[in-house]
Amino acid sequence: MGSSSSDVSAWIVAVSSVLSLLGSGVIVVSYAVWPRIRTKSRLLLVCLSLADYACAAGYGASALFFLFHGTEHLQDDSFSCKFQSAVTTWSSIATFCWTVVMAVYLYIAIVHDAVDAAKKLFPLYAALSLFIPTLVTAGALLSNALGYGGGFVTSGWCWVDEYPDWPSFAASGEKEKYAHARLFWQLVAGKFWEVSGCIIIFVLYFLIRRHIRQKTLFSNSQFFTDGSRSAAARADRKMVAIPVAFLFLRIWGTVRFILEYADPDAPASKYLALVYLQAVGDTGQGFVNFFIFCWKTDSVQGLMVGAFYSCCCCCCRPCKGKSGDGDTESDSLLHRDAPPAVQNSGACMETKANNNGLTASQVIEASAEIKAKDG
């Protein structure tokens, strides 16, 4: 890439990283500040947000260093380059793992109606999401595979070195040997987990969405009121938004990865649009998670708006009503937007589902067992 396009890419990375840092920070702080959302499902989101935070911090620091100190950071033997590559490699793989774990948790809790079993698997979720990225990153460091790759399939940050020492493939020349080794580590240190994660996430969220639609949207039971069906429709849309957002963020780097390997001699300017899109996508997951799981979740949005007005408009007492008073603890990422089938997974166990006197737990009973309970 030319100097001007590199500067543009770096600024995009810096801005997107800052937004992700803010979004991830809000998710973590909200979990710490409001006890009633300290639940297993939101704890998974917090773990994902911490990984997103580290990833955005690494990419953002690399972009800022480039903008203010030039290419000094982007040297094969630079400690800062290797350190940034190690941090972002570890955190990127961790984000893929935690995103898949969230899908697995919701699938077990909603489709198999086994909330307790999903919660008990949390130590396994954490072990895998920490062990896999640590093993890969340690192996890459020991193999001297991390460093600056000449901007190949990245938007300017350090990742896999252009000349990894290991593995040593039998090839007709040095160039081919290093190309094969570089491809190996690019797959192991990111692309394999990214593509696998996309496939798993799409399959699981499709099954969850189908289950919700079968249980609620297509049910003629008298216990499903307009209010509960509206909540189910919102959750149904969210089940589409989550995998689509993940794919929209990550697809640009993967498409560029395929195209650049298919035509390695193509000029860098040929894929400039993909470079800019990748700069946003690879750094933007923290902000997108905030938008979906905080801002577009009514009760959490209410808490944030209430807290904002409490700080900035202390005299505006009516605003306090938006903070979610009266709700009890939630155990779902979907929270108040959850349909009865999702609420059966512990989403809004005591939140009013509608205005006819039925609580959410009663609607849940109707959804799961087609039985009514007294109000």
Side-chain angles (χ1 to χ4, degrees):
M1 292 185 293
S3 177
S4 60
S5 58
S6 296
D7 288 346
V8 171
S9 178
W11 277 113
I12 293 174
V13 170
V15 172
S16 181
S17 295
V18 168
L19 291 175
S20 270
L21 288 171
L22 292 174
S24 299
V26 169
I27 292 173
V28 175
V29 170
S30 66
Y31 182 85
V33 169
W34 293 307
R36 73 181 186 85
I37 63 172
R38 293 176 193 167
T39 56
K40 284 292 185 185
S41 54
R42 192 151 288 266
L43 179 58
L44 293 175
L45 180 61
V46 168
C47 293
L48 170 61
S49 298
L50 291 173
D52 286 333
Y53 194 94
C55 191
Y59 288 141
S62 177
L64 291 175
F65 201 103
F66 172 79
L67 288 170
F68 294 103
H69 297 282
T71 59
E72 179 183 346
H73 163 67
L74 304 175
Q75 304 296 327
D76 291 339
D77 58 350
S78 167
F79 171 79
S80 61
C81 181
K82 290 185 180 294
F83 180 76
Q84 176 258 296
S85 179
V87 169
T88 52
T89 296
W90 185 93
S91 55
S92 293
I93 298 175
T95 60
F96 302 146
C97 292
W98 282 113
T99 305
V100 170
V101 160
M102 284 171 51
V104 171
Y105 177 90
L106 291 174
Y107 175 78
I108 295 173
I110 297 172
V111 177
H112 292 283
D113 195 17
V115 183
D116 292 338
K119 291 180 179 179
K120 290 177 181 177
L121 290 174
F122 185 83
L124 178 61
Y125 303 150
L128 290 176
S129 298
L130 294 174
F131 175 75
I132 292 174
T134 300
L135 179 64
V136 171
T137 305
L141 282 172
L142 292 173
S143 302
N144 200 31
L146 299 182
Y148 184 58
F152 188 70
V153 301
T154 72
S155 290
W157 51 76
C158 296
W159 182 32
V160 173
D161 196 281
E162 194 170 3
Y163 304 106
D165 291 344
W166 185 91
S168 182
F169 288 93
S172 58
E174 287 291 308
K175 183 178 180 181
E176 289 77 10
K177 181 183 72 173
Y178 285 123
H180 294 164
R182 185 172 65 243
L183 174 60
F184 172 83
W185 279 113
Q186 286 173 342
L187 291 173
V188 172
K191 289 303 172 185
F192 169 78
W193 306 104
E194 181 178 327
V195 174
S196 299
C198 283
I199 294 172
I200 294 171
I201 289 165
F202 260 86
V203 170
L204 291 180
Y205 277 108
F206 170 78
L207 294 175
I208 295 169
R209 181 172 181 256
R210 186 179 66 176
H211 177 81
I212 292 174
R213 292 173 71 85
Q214 289 175 345
K215 294 282 282 187
T216 58
L217 300 184
F218 298 145
S219 174
N220 293 320
S221 171
Q222 60 178 321
F223 303 110
F224 293 113
T225 65
D226 291 340
S228 61
R229 289 186 186 279
S230 176
R234 290 196 300 272
D236 181 67
R237 289 193 295 270
K238 190 168 290 187
M239 286 299 170
V240 175
I242 294 169
V244 168
F246 184 80
L247 178 64
F248 183 79
L249 288 172
R250 293 294 180 174
I251 193 172
W252 313 115
T254 301
V255 169
R256 185 180 166 206
F257 177 82
I258 295 171
L259 292 176
E260 290 198 4
Y261 266 105
D263 187 11
D265 297 324
S269 58
K270 182 176 181 179
Y271 306 119
L272 196 56
L274 289 176
V275 172
Y276 295 154
L277 289 169
Q278 183 184 4
V280 175
D282 284 7
T283 59
Q285 186 170 351
F287 180 76
V288 171
N289 285 340
F290 158 77
F291 183 77
I292 294 176
F293 294 117
C294 287
W295 191 250
K296 294 302 290 182
T297 299
D298 290 346
S299 56
V300 182
Q301 183 195 78
L303 288 168
M304 293 189 298
V305 171
F308 175 80
Y309 279 107
S310 295
C311 294
C312 301
C313 309
C314 296
C315 299
C316 188
R317 292 186 178 275
C319 296
K320 293 183 179 179
K322 297 181 180 180
S323 63
D325 294 343
D327 289 349
T328 58
E329 183 176 353
S330 165
D331 195 22
S332 172
L333 296 171
L334 306 179
H335 204 66
R336 195 175 234 174
D337 286 346
V342 179
Q343 293 167 346
N344 199 30
S345 305
C348 300
M349 294 303 293
E350 298 298 333
T351 303
K352 288 291 182 179
N354 46 62
N355 294 324
N356 66 353
L358 290 178
T359 63
S361 58
Q362 291 170 322
V363 178
I364 294 165
E365 291 283 335
S367 172
E369 305 175 16
I370 315 299
K371 293 180 181 180
K373 293 181 66 178
D374 293 333

